[in-house]
Amino acid sequence: MRVFVTGASGWIGSAVVPELLDAGHQVVGLARSDAAAAALTAAGVEVQRGTIDDLDSLRNAAAASDGVIHLAFKHDIAFSGDFQGAADADRRAIETFGDALAGSDRPFVIASGLFGLAQDRASTEQDGHGPVTSTGVAEARRANAELTLSLASRGVRSSIVRLAPTVHGEGDHGFMATLVGNAREKGASGYLGDGANRWPAVHRLDAARLFRLALEQAPAGSTLHGVGEEGVPIRAVAEVIGQRLGIPVVPVAPEQAGEYFTWLAGFIGLDIPASNALTRELLGWEPKQPGLLEDLAAHYG
Ligand SMILES: NC(=O)c1ccc[n+]([C@@H]2O[C@H](COP(=O)([O-])OP(=O)(O)OC[C@H]3O[C@@H](n4cnc5c(N)ncnc54)[C@H](OP(=O)(O)O)[C@@H]3O)[C@@H](O)[C@H]2O)c1
């Protein structure tokens, strides 16, 4: 297939690209800078210059492709306070792709997240559907995922990959890298409260394979969980980081969370285990890469 990939130069995109090329697909990647364009060219990708706001460019690229994988997200503005602005840009891009692909039965796969789907149990692929009635980071993202799934009724083979917040591996600059950086700066590896709360995790290369399988096989309207491990206790994460950096492991009181964890404070205490059973059954996807704790011990810090 000729596949248009947004975010092809990013952390996950740069693993999705070789996964697609190795499987015999042709990749066209969106690049907003000379650096991204050069990296994509070097990786064997045809470059489409533009940003996620260039809706004509997105429409044309999608129309000229056999499928689209949408990974770009304005993390720069999202993490500096304008998450809604990032989500709005994402929604406009998804609407544009939907219009371009309507009636074609071509695949359209997006990345989404796992926050806020279920309480007191592991979320499944069946959770988190239905009208979005409140605001906030998780709900803004969920609204865009639901919009994507609704495109199935317009003749798009759409699917969403809900990624664990900890997509880990060499070169990570996300949640885990931030936690390690915090620990080094503070001279102590912290966990919130008793640290028993769990986060799901997935290795970047397993996630990349899931995106390819979704593109190739997922039925229209599929919800997939990019989850390799259902839930890793945050205290265990802090312990591995402490061991690797040779620093003490300490509980952080809720009133000190903002100071210690900075932008992670709102997330680090969440208990958000997530199942991958339906995804594995649907696509025959089996995570094969090292788990989070093994990866942390080997590559972080
Ligand atoms: N990493 C995780 O742990 C994780 C967890 C859950 C969900 N996700 C989601 O998975 C997707 C990919 O994440 P990632 O970790 O690969 O993110 P990333 O490393 O920050 O990459 C983001 C990509 O989006 C591109 N981009 C950003 N703003 C753009 C704009 N205005 N126009 C065009 N392209 C733009 C970036 O281009 P440049 O190369 O030019 O910067 C880059 O290619 C995102 O939707 C993310 O929210 C990630």
Side-chain angles (χ1 to χ4, degrees):
M1 276 188 235
R2 180 179 167 87
V3 188
F4 180 51
V5 181
T6 72
S9 55
W11 157 244
I12 296 165
S14 56
V16 169
V17 163
E19 176 71 35
L20 294 173
L21 294 175
D22 287 351
H25 298 293
Q26 187 187 345
V27 181
V28 180
L30 182 70
R32 60 174 170 162
S33 70
D34 290 346
L40 292 182
T41 302
V45 170
E46 186 182 319
V47 171
Q48 166 94 21
R49 286 302 295 255
T51 77
I52 208 68
D53 300 314
D54 295 336
L55 301 182
D56 285 341
S57 173
L58 300 187
R59 189 177 296 111
N60 294 338
S65 303
D66 302 308
V68 175
I69 298 180
H70 173 47
L71 302 171
F73 195 76
K74 293 184 172 181
H75 289 134
D76 44 4
I77 64 167
F79 289 127
S80 55
D82 187 14
F83 194 92
Q84 192 59 50
D88 288 344
D90 194 40
R91 189 195 68 248
R92 289 190 292 271
I94 291 167
E95 286 168 348
T96 301
F97 287 134
D99 290 343
L101 298 174
S104 71
D105 285 327
R106 280 180 268 163
F108 173 44
V109 188
I110 72 154
S112 191
L114 279 165
F115 289 116
L117 298 175
Q119 295 272 323
D120 304 324
R121 62 169 174 81
S123 63
T124 78
E125 293 83 342
Q126 290 168 329
D127 288 314
H129 298 297
V132 175
T133 52
S134 57
T135 54
V137 169
E139 287 298 90
R141 208 75 207 251
R142 194 170 77 74
N144 290 348
E146 291 299 289
L147 169 63
T148 302
L149 294 175
S150 76
L151 295 173
S153 67
R154 294 179 59 202
V156 181
R157 188 160 63 77
S158 61
S159 60
I160 61 170
V161 176
R162 290 175 175 162
L163 289 165
T166 44
V167 181
H168 57 90
E170 266 186 279
D172 179 10
H173 56 257
F175 287 107
M176 286 300 123
T178 303
L179 212 51
V180 171
N182 269 352
R184 186 188 290 103
E185 195 187 309
K186 304 282 191 310
S189 178
Y191 55 88
L192 190 62
D194 66 2
N197 64 298
R198 298 149 297 167
W199 277 25
V202 67
H203 194 284
R204 184 170 76 125
L205 300 181
D206 285 323
R209 201 167 67 261
L210 180 57
F211 277 101
R212 175 177 63 77
L213 292 174
L215 176 91
E216 293 173 345
Q217 300 175 27
S222 296
T223 295
L224 305 164
H225 275 193
V227 168
E229 294 172 282
E230 180 167 308
V232 182
I234 289 296
R235 182 170 179 159
V237 167
E239 284 169 354
V240 172
I241 294 173
Q243 204 167 27
R244 178 142 171 104
L245 298 182
I247 55 178
V249 180
V250 297
V252 176
E255 55 276 18
Q256 274 146 15
E259 191 193 331
Y260 182 88
F261 293 109
T262 64
W263 64 267
L264 269 172
F267 302 100
I268 195 70
L270 298 175
D271 187 44
I272 47 167
S275 165
N276 64 10
L278 296 176
T279 300
R280 289 164 51 210
E281 189 180 293
L282 184 71
L283 297 179
W285 175 67
E286 290 299 332
K288 294 179 184 154
Q289 298 295 323
L292 175 60
L293 298 181
E294 190 184 335
D295 211 13
L296 275 171
H299 291 123
Y300 286 67

